[in-house]
Amino acid sequence: MRSKLRLLSIAALSLAFVLVYADQASIRLSSYPTISVSDGHSTTAVYADVRDASGRPVPDGTAVLFGTSIGTFRENVVKTLNGKAYATLISGGNPGVAKITASAISVNAAPSVMDFEFVADRKLLSSAQEYVEIVAPGYMQYAADSRIVSASGANRGVSLRYRDIQIEADDLQLNIPTYEVKARNVRMKVGKEVREFGQLYFRLNLRRGFGTTTFKTTRWDTIELLGTGIQLVQTDDDGKTSIPPPQDRFGFVSIVGAEIRPTTEIVGNNLFSFDDLSGSPSTVAAKKAVIFPRKEIQFQKAEIYVGGAKVMKLPLFELNMYGNSSPLVTEQLVSVNDNQLAINYPYYLSMKPGQTSLLRFHTNDRYGRTVSGGGGAFLDYELNWDRGDDLEGNFTVGGLARSDWYVSARQYMRMGDATTAVFQGDMLSNRTLYGNANISHQFTGWQTSLGATRTQTLKGISSTFTQTSLVMERDPMKFGKLPIQGYIGFTSTQSQSSFGGSQEGTGVRVRAQTSSIPLDRMTSVSSSFAVSKLYGSQTNPGLTLVGNATISRRLSSAASMVLTYDYTHDGFNDALLGAHRIGLNASYFAGPASFSLYGSKSLGVDRMNLYGDMSYRLSGQWRLAYAYTFDKYLAQDYLDYNFVVGYRLGWREVGLTWSNRTKRVGFQLLGASF
């Protein structure tokens, strides 16, 4: 009863502070696919949804400026249609996490920043689709702060599946970020091999671990404590030199795939110890969980707990593990930011591994670098499907019953071992159609990519834009023992607009990239450079040059920085954004203090952005935070800075905020950072 009263009190307090609405526009960034390979030519569609303070799309023709710290955009300045701007991101030559930015200064929109990962090898793309399934009819709990699942069931009532690995146990814990499994009274099946263990420690992704089990040996093997570790000690039978016949022994073994063998390796004596989750601020209890380690968890028969009190029960529930840093699960459902109540409530119609369908109701979405959120209320229908590395896609009807409703479809598919395809389509308010398709194929010694984009208005002023491109590139060439790879390829492009005429060109492209070169134990450098030449109508008469250099340095165990330099000369983007650009990404996290900084400056053009976040915990209850946002392009700029004073009540935090743009004090609940 008391827990319900507390929840009602929080809800009433939240509603009482819903007094003031944001006075600025907001930008929501998204991409498809959500991860790409750093091959220098793969493309990703990046979307910016720009809305005014009331949640309506901004006027058509609003300019959105895109930027990235890795790779390049085919078009850096894109104008909106029905509030949406579409840009094409071309992957860089080096792997890493790119900072993608979008700005719309003319409509007073806070800039938006999104992380996007480029992986080194196309094979790594499949790891983003893999999942772990845990079934525990007796007991299962997920701790949001530690991202650990703990489950129990008598007579090996807990079942875990991952690829060809199946584990049945009485007690089991899974550390999701590290793929570590700890279990007791275990039967494990790897492929066709079945083993039983008294205790088990196993890394699913590495297929390695340790366990205690019965095995045949010609020696007496025992487990002994050695300082803070465990070691298997081998002793002869009665000191005899003759080899005794094999006998069953219970002892400590190492596990590699489906094989086990006695080992003398020393490991920590807490190897099999379970983590204590009793102090977790927010947990989810369920009967079944499907875990996508890099994205989300799907729960069946979920019960959400905050501070030990059950606050919600849902037949189906999906939790985004990495989109929210707070240990409170409820923050993904409801929060108060700068006096605004924000709701994001999903009602799942169906859920199974590889497919979900739901209705989502959301209001006052918080996008961009601002404590405020965009206005408006929305009801969306979403259908998502995922078949591992072979198939992934979604279908959305957004803004049901609104005049600015839209339909969106995305599809990624693998067509054989050497061919992949990405298709995307949008219809905005029954006024505009947008489509994009890209097909890539790996030949022997060559790879090719064919892409097409089309935008067409259905109502109002007639407008069309069509662009196609073809890229063929030879597999990388090595230069002896030098850490350099070279590429040579053929490229062809054609574009046509109902307003701007047409452009077409065909030519060659040569590029080189280095691997990560260590300068010392703490510093490494990588770089890439491409030269291309197109022949045709309305093309750049000279050479197109694109280069990048990155220096990464670990300053200490708590601090690091990445310095980048980009050079672009293509006769178009360099005139808009400058030929040279420098960037800095730095972070520091230690004890009560945390700091992050991202900034870039174009040389030759008045273009700059700087985003900084600082937080310092004065005590167990009090925290001070500061956020700085500055974005400038030519004669327009956006500046805001925010102060937050937070006070922790148990695992919740109440905050007072002040924004330079609104010049007012705001209230923050549940949405406050920890």
Side-chain angles (χ1 to χ4, degrees), residues 364-414:
N364 291 332
D365 296 313
R366 182 181 177 183
Y367 303 128
R369 290 186 50 80
T370 173
V371 296
S372 303
F378 304 84
L379 179 64
D380 304 339
Y381 169 78
E382 302 175 15
L383 175 65
N384 306 285
W385 54 90
D386 192 329
R387 300 292 186 273
D389 194 32
D390 295 327
L391 192 71
E392 179 185 8
N394 61 71
F395 174 78
T396 301
V397 181
L400 295 172
R402 288 177 59 103
S403 61
D404 57 336
W405 60 273
Y406 68 93
V407 178
S408 174
R410 311 280 187 266
Q411 178 68 66
Y412 164 85
M413 59 191 306
R414 178 176 292 277

Side-chain angles (χ1 to χ4, degrees), residues 154-302:
N155 301 317
R156 293 174 175 164
V158 180
S159 174
L160 179 149
R161 291 179 182 271
Y162 172 76
R163 295 185 174 178
D164 64 337
I165 300 172
Q166 180 176 351
I167 298 174
E168 298 174 350
D170 284 357
D171 304 290
L172 180 145
Q173 275 195 353
L174 170 66
N175 187 313
I176 295 173
T178 62
Y179 287 78
E180 293 175 290
V181 172
K182 297 179 181 180
R184 305 185 185 108
N185 189 20
V186 182
R187 178 168 55 237
M188 182 169 73
K189 183 178 180 181
V190 180
K192 297 181 180 180
E193 295 292 328
V194 179
R195 306 284 186 184
E196 295 191 354
F197 301 92
Q199 297 188 87
L200 174 71
Y201 169 87
F202 195 71
R203 295 284 295 272
L204 294 173
N205 56 336
L206 302 180
R207 305 171 73 88
R208 293 176 177 270
F210 299 94
T212 58
T213 187
T214 300
F215 56 92
K216 289 188 177 294
T217 181
T218 59
R219 307 177 68 92
W220 291 96
D221 303 307
T222 60
I223 297 175
E224 290 187 0
L225 294 178
L226 182 63
T228 60
I230 301 174
Q231 184 179 28
L232 186 71
V233 179
Q234 298 181 339
T235 57
D236 282 336
D237 219 5
D238 298 329
K240 297 179 180 179
T241 56
S242 60
I243 300 177
Q247 300 183 46
D248 287 336
R249 296 287 181 260
F250 182 84
F252 184 60
V253 298
S254 65
I255 308 168
V256 180
E259 298 182 3
I260 65 170
R261 53 178 177 266
T263 180
T264 57
E265 188 173 345
I266 302 174
V267 297
N269 56 18
N270 62 347
L271 183 70
F272 304 115
S273 299
F274 279 34
D275 290 86
D276 183 9
L277 307 183
S278 60
S280 298
S282 182
T283 59
V284 179
K287 302 299 181 183
K288 180 179 178 180
V290 179
I291 304 158
F292 296 85
R294 301 181 66 163
K295 295 190 293 185
E296 70 266 341
I297 309 180
Q298 299 174 356
F299 296 100
Q300 294 187 11
K301 297 182 178 180

Side-chain angles (χ1 to χ4, degrees), residues 598-615:
Y598 173 75
S600 67
K601 178 70 172 72
S602 296
L603 308 180
V605 173
D606 195 5
R607 165 76 172 119
M608 177 182 179
N609 52 37
L610 182 64
Y611 312 134
D613 297 281
M614 292 179 287
S615 178

Side-chain angles (χ1 to χ4, degrees), residues 454-505:
R454 181 175 176 84
T455 303
Q456 179 176 336
T457 58
L458 302 176
K459 295 181 180 180
I461 300 175
S462 177
S463 173
T464 60
F465 173 78
T466 304
Q467 184 178 60
T468 58
S469 63
L470 173 67
V471 175
M472 298 182 64
E473 189 172 68
R474 183 179 175 180
D475 286 348
M477 301 172 290
K478 296 184 177 180
F479 298 91
K481 296 183 178 181
L482 295 176
I484 302 175
Q485 290 183 324
Y487 304 80
I488 185 170
F490 162 86
T491 181
S492 178
T493 181
Q494 182 181 42
S495 62
Q496 185 172 4
S497 172
S498 57
F499 293 110
S502 63
Q503 180 191 65
E504 60 181 39

